[in-house]
Amino acid sequence: MPGLISRICLLCLVCCICEHSAQLCLPDGVAKEDRLNISIAGRDMPIGLVSLNWESSFLYRDISAILFEEVLGYNVDIKSPAGGSVEAVKLVAGCREGGEVCDRTWSDKHIAFEVWSNYEAGDIKFFESP
């Protein structure tokens, strides 16, 4: 267990340093100019990452951004943090920020980090409707 904790601490340190650097974090990382976009419904875009407004969610988002960019070779767009889990799920579902209007055919936000499933009945019904 101590080995795992030290690896996690090292990765956290790397993330903190890399977040504020224009350089690559990983020794064999994919350079920015060589990264690809994804394509959804005929639209090319970077992978949209949404965090919630607390530190552990930011950490998961930043680690994932490094892995998507430098290991997998995709462009990433870090979106503004969501105010809560329901809002984050709605953003990924294609809803506009804070709104009830959703385009469920595509979204520029693709992954939300550390979402908690403590939805109220009204929120669950929102996702069940077509």
Side-chain angles (χ1 to χ4, degrees):
M1 196 66 146
L4 176 62
I5 293 172
S6 62
R7 281 187 238 142
I8 290 171
C9 289
L10 179 61
L11 189 53
C12 292
L13 177 63
V14 167
C15 285
C16 291
I17 293 169
C18 292
E19 182 180 22
H20 304 290
S21 170
Q23 299 176 11
L24 294 175
C25 295
L26 303 176
D28 295 326
V30 176
K32 185 172 182 73
E33 60 272 6
D34 295 328
R35 296 178 193 154
L36 303 171
N37 283 333
I38 59 172
S39 181
I40 298 176
R43 297 176 172 135
D44 282 349
M45 64 190 85
I47 297 172
L49 305 181
V50 177
S51 62
L52 283 96
N53 206 11
W54 48 81
E55 294 302 318
S56 55
S57 184
F58 295 144
L59 179 63
Y60 292 134
R61 180 204 62 200
D62 293 345
I63 291 170
S64 297
I66 292 168
L67 295 175
F68 278 121
E69 290 176 334
E70 297 190 23
V71 175
L72 298 175
Y74 287 100
N75 290 309
V76 167
D77 184 15
I78 295 178
K79 305 294 185 177
S80 298
S85 292
V86 173
E87 181 185 348
V89 172
K90 286 182 178 182
L91 290 171
V92 172
C95 302
R96 288 178 184 70
E97 317 249 347
E100 298 296 315
V101 178
C102 298
D103 176 0
R104 296 182 186 191
T105 59
W106 80 280
S107 173
D108 65 346
K109 299 157 189 80
H110 307 107
I111 301 170
F113 295 92
E114 205 174 0
V115 173
W116 295 82
S117 61
N118 55 347
Y119 305 119
E120 295 183 23
D123 294 320
I124 293 172
K125 287 199 183 299
F126 175 84
F127 292 111
E128 291 174 347
S129 63

